[in-house]
Amino acid sequence: MNSAYDERVRKTFLLLSQLDADQISSFCQLSISFLEKRNKNKDILPSRASAIKSVRKRAEKIARKLGEPSDRVEDLILGLSNLFLDAARNRLNQPRFKLSLQRLEINASVAHAIAEFQAENSDKIRRLVEEASELESLSKTDQFPEYVDLRWRLDMEIASRSLQANNYEPSYLLRIDTTKEQTLLKADFATLQRIHSELQTALDESKSVHSQRIFRYIR
């Protein structure tokens, strides 16, 4: 685990110091449940969105019981998920995993509870990592072609018996090239404006505090 990651999540993990061993184990289990939901099917993006939505609902309920902000509880669940994923990817044994926990500056009893859970579920977590890697590979090859090029042409009819004066209807012909295929589209200016607006909204959302928090924990 790198120190940059530690700096961002250390305060979040301090919440565990307020919990008993059973509650810590429950949080750890929730983090594993998130990984399982994320691997639910081959549609990577819908699965992740559904998993994050599920975590948010659980976080809100837990936050009310603990008297903590729901964002902090959600961060903790996602942070634990990433903690276990890192351990599985780097094939950390229990001593090395315990050593990595020291950077989070959590007390010994919390670190012990997390390490015990990781040891008891290491095979399951490793399997989830392998499944996620396979799904990522499938998504890249089968579902999500990469953008290559976009070409466009403006068409406008300026003379016709049926065309009334100043009633021009320009349209755009688009050719989108990807690694899998070429797609031809025809759209008027209003449609392109709507597409632009939707893409801009999606881009702005990806830069939001919540999205950045999700990206921070889930790679």
Side-chain angles (χ1 to χ4, degrees):
M1 184 184 304
N2 59 62
S3 57
Y5 174 84
D6 294 348
E7 287 296 328
R8 287 192 293 260
V9 302
R10 184 177 292 122
K11 290 183 179 179
T12 297
F13 274 82
L14 290 177
L15 173 59
L16 291 173
S17 301
Q18 305 172 26
L19 309 178
D20 59 34
D22 289 340
Q23 290 174 315
I24 293 172
S25 179
S26 295
F27 266 95
C28 292
Q29 188 58 57
L30 281 174
S31 72
I32 299 303
S33 296
F34 167 72
L35 297 177
E36 290 176 326
K37 289 180 181 295
R38 195 182 69 157
N39 290 358
K40 191 173 182 179
N41 57 53
K42 292 182 181 180
D43 297 324
I44 296 295
L45 295 182
S47 289
R48 286 187 176 180
S50 176
I52 291 172
K53 185 177 180 180
S54 176
V55 165
R56 191 171 298 137
K57 288 182 178 179
R58 296 296 297 273
E60 289 173 354
K61 292 181 180 179
I62 296 171
R64 285 195 291 269
K65 292 180 179 179
L66 297 177
E68 293 286 341
S70 60
D71 285 353
R72 189 181 184 193
V73 174
E74 183 181 338
D75 283 351
L76 179 56
I77 297 171
L78 297 176
L80 284 166
S81 297
N82 201 54
L83 194 69
F84 295 135
L85 286 177
D86 280 347
R89 291 189 183 111
N90 295 307
R91 299 186 178 278
L92 299 183
N93 56 27
Q94 193 173 24
R96 290 179 61 197
F97 182 66
K98 283 185 176 181
L99 185 63
S100 72
L101 294 177
Q102 292 181 4
R103 293 185 178 182
L104 292 173
E105 297 182 358
I106 52 182
N107 63 48
S109 61
V110 172
H112 177 76
I114 296 175
E116 285 296 313
F117 182 90
Q118 188 271 341
E120 293 172 1
N121 294 272
S122 59
D123 290 340
K124 183 177 184 179
I125 297 169
R126 191 173 296 112
R127 174 176 57 79
L128 290 171
V129 170
E130 292 172 353
E131 289 177 358
S133 297
E134 291 174 1
L135 291 173
E136 290 286 357
S137 298
L138 286 173
S139 69
K140 290 178 181 178
T141 57
D142 296 341
Q143 291 184 282
F144 302 110
E146 295 181 4
Y147 168 82
V148 176
D149 190 23
L150 170 65
R151 298 188 180 189
W152 61 276
R153 185 181 74 199
L154 175 63
D155 279 2
M156 180 182 294
E157 188 176 7
I158 59 176
S160 172
R161 291 182 179 180
S162 61
L163 189 66
Q164 298 180 3
N166 299 322
N167 190 25
Y168 306 126
E169 295 184 358
S171 62
Y172 292 87
L173 296 178
L174 310 173
R175 191 187 83 183
I176 303 174
D177 297 340
T178 69
T179 51
K180 289 184 64 176
E181 60 188 0
Q182 285 185 353
T183 301
L184 299 177
L185 302 173
K186 184 177 181 179
D188 57 23
F189 182 68
T191 299
L192 288 181
Q193 281 187 312
R194 287 196 297 272
I195 293 174
H196 174 271
S197 178
E198 291 294 328
L199 291 174
Q200 186 63 53
T201 299
L203 180 61
D204 292 342
E205 176 62 24
S206 72
K207 297 177 181 178
S208 69
V209 173
H210 178 71
S211 294
Q212 290 301 314
R213 190 170 67 249
I214 298 300
F215 297 154
R216 180 186 308 163
Y217 297 121
I218 303 302
R219 290 179 288 185

